[in-house]
Amino acid sequence: MERVARLWRFLALGRGRVSGPRLPTSAAGGRGLGGLGRRRGSQVIGNQGTVKRGLLFSALSYLGFETYQVISQAAVVHAAVKADWFHILLQISDDAELLWRLARASRDIAQLSGTSEEEKKRLVYEALEYAKRALEKNESNFAAHKWYAICISDVGDYEGIKVKIANAYVIKEHFQKAIELNPKDATSIHLMGIWCFTFAEMPWYQRNIAKMLFATPPSSTYEEALHYFHKAEQVDPNFYSKNLLLLGKTYLKLQNKKLAAFWLMKAKDYPAHTEDDKQIQTEAAQLLTSFSDKN
């Protein structure tokens, strides 16, 4: 009951403090989800024999269809009532929109500092299962592709280096599919940029391991990463402090200190709404000081 109530809290309140990579407000499903919810609602009401889906839509409306939005504590009902609603949702849900949210909620709880290693592992696999089911229900749902990629990346930490590298191809495929389905979702584009940056930055010894395991190991360049970070910024300017930071770091890798300083300054001056923003401000300031001292 306690775990169910915690999952509900993440679904209803959206954001939980996590120790892993944080996503911006639009990360959950992207922009314009409120409008999507209204369109889906009219479809639900018009279908025959859709009492369950009507109840599901009502419940999702109660949750707040736009995700990662913090609602007033006064609107949160008693934990037991929330748990009952959550059980109902689980029983009636065959909806991709709810399933990827369950994946996100399970992952967020797994990332909490107070979550034990045993529970974290179970929640990570649980999140992947929800994301997988979301894709099975609707392969045209861009958020399902995005969260499947995120969750399969998490699972790789428990599967060994060979599986983790093999998963990289799958992760890239689903981020690209998410972008294809919704080219206006800045976070999918940002995450694709992180994928490129990660493999561009891969140490030589990891590259050698990858070459031993795969004929053509995953690879990328800083130029590719830069392309996606800029594209995300064009879609939604200043949407995420980490995108600004990574633009600066990528330009540093490309030895362009002038543009690196420009983006790092923007990251440093970004309003700190979360702990993640504060950490990014600190890192940006340290990088600015570091390469300024060398000049």
Side-chain angles (χ1 to χ4, degrees):
M1 177 68 74
E2 180 183 355
R3 186 171 68 83
V4 170
R6 290 172 73 196
L7 271 172
W8 177 274
R9 185 161 59 253
F10 272 87
L11 282 166
L13 298 182
R15 289 187 82 99
R17 185 166 177 261
V18 301
S19 58
R22 292 295 297 142
L23 300 177
T25 300
S26 60
R31 299 156 65 86
L33 275 178
L36 175 61
R38 287 188 291 274
R39 288 195 298 275
R40 291 184 63 84
S42 63
Q43 292 169 359
V44 168
I45 294 169
N47 292 336
Q48 293 182 355
T50 55
V51 175
K52 288 184 177 181
R53 290 182 61 82
L55 177 57
L56 173 62
F57 175 71
S58 297
L60 285 173
S61 296
Y62 170 78
L63 286 173
F65 204 86
E66 292 207 18
T67 58
Y68 279 75
Q69 299 293 314
V70 179
I71 63 173
S72 167
Q73 276 298 117
V76 181
V77 295
H78 191 273
V81 177
K82 294 189 291 185
D84 288 342
W85 267 103
F86 188 85
H87 278 303
I88 292 170
L89 290 173
L90 280 181
Q91 291 168 9
I92 67 175
S93 175
D94 63 350
D95 188 274
E97 289 292 338
L98 177 59
L99 287 166
W100 70 252
R101 284 170 169 80
L102 291 173
R104 185 203 63 201
S106 295
R107 181 185 186 272
D108 279 354
I109 294 176
Q111 296 289 331
L112 287 172
S113 59
T115 303
S116 68
E117 284 302 314
E118 182 180 356
E119 186 181 8
K120 178 178 179 178
K121 182 177 180 179
R122 182 179 53 75
L123 285 165
V124 162
Y125 280 92
E126 181 180 280
L128 178 61
E129 183 60 29
Y130 285 134
K132 182 180 178 181
R133 286 172 57 193
L135 277 179
E136 289 171 351
K137 296 301 179 183
N138 185 358
E139 289 188 355
S140 296
N141 187 303
F142 84 94
H145 283 279
K146 174 165 58 180
W147 283 96
Y148 181 76
I150 292 169
C151 292
I152 203 170
S153 176
D154 291 342
V155 165
D157 293 337
Y158 299 99
E159 298 286 343
I161 186 65
K162 185 172 183 179
V163 173
K164 193 171 182 68
I165 294 173
N167 283 349
Y169 296 101
V170 181
I171 292 166
K172 181 179 182 181
E173 175 187 343
H174 285 280
F175 280 149
Q176 288 177 327
K177 187 64 176 178
I179 295 169
E180 176 187 330
L181 289 168
N182 185 359
K184 295 299 183 183
D185 180 48
T187 58
S188 294
I189 302 168
H190 166 79
L191 290 167
M192 190 67 242
I194 289 181
W195 190 98
C196 294
F197 187 92
T198 299
F199 284 99
E201 196 178 38
M202 181 184 285
W204 64 268
Y205 63 89
Q206 290 185 6
R207 292 185 189 277
N208 288 340
I209 293 173
K211 287 177 181 177
M212 287 189 290
L213 295 173
F214 299 93
T216 54
S219 64
S220 189
T221 65
Y222 291 118
E223 287 81 4
E224 284 184 288
L226 195 65
H227 164 75
Y228 285 108
F229 294 141
H230 270 301
K231 187 175 179 181
E233 205 61 30
Q234 290 166 4
V235 166
D236 193 356
N238 297 316
F239 76 106
Y240 190 23
S241 58
K242 190 169 185 178
N243 199 64
L244 304 175
L245 176 70
L246 284 169
L247 275 162
K249 292 176 73 170
T250 308
Y251 273 117
L252 273 181
K253 294 290 186 180
L254 294 171
Q255 304 299 314
N256 189 330
K257 292 186 177 181
K258 183 177 180 180
L259 284 174
F262 172 81
W263 289 105
L264 289 173
M265 189 65 70
K266 285 177 71 71
K268 184 178 77 70
D269 294 339
Y270 192 91
H273 300 297
T274 66
E275 285 300 317
D276 196 43
D277 290 331
K278 292 177 184 177
Q279 292 171 10
I280 287 165
Q281 281 184 342
T282 300
E283 184 177 355
Q286 290 172 344
L287 286 170
L288 283 165
T289 301
S290 175
F291 75 77
S292 295
D293 290 344
K294 294 177 182 178
N295 291 338

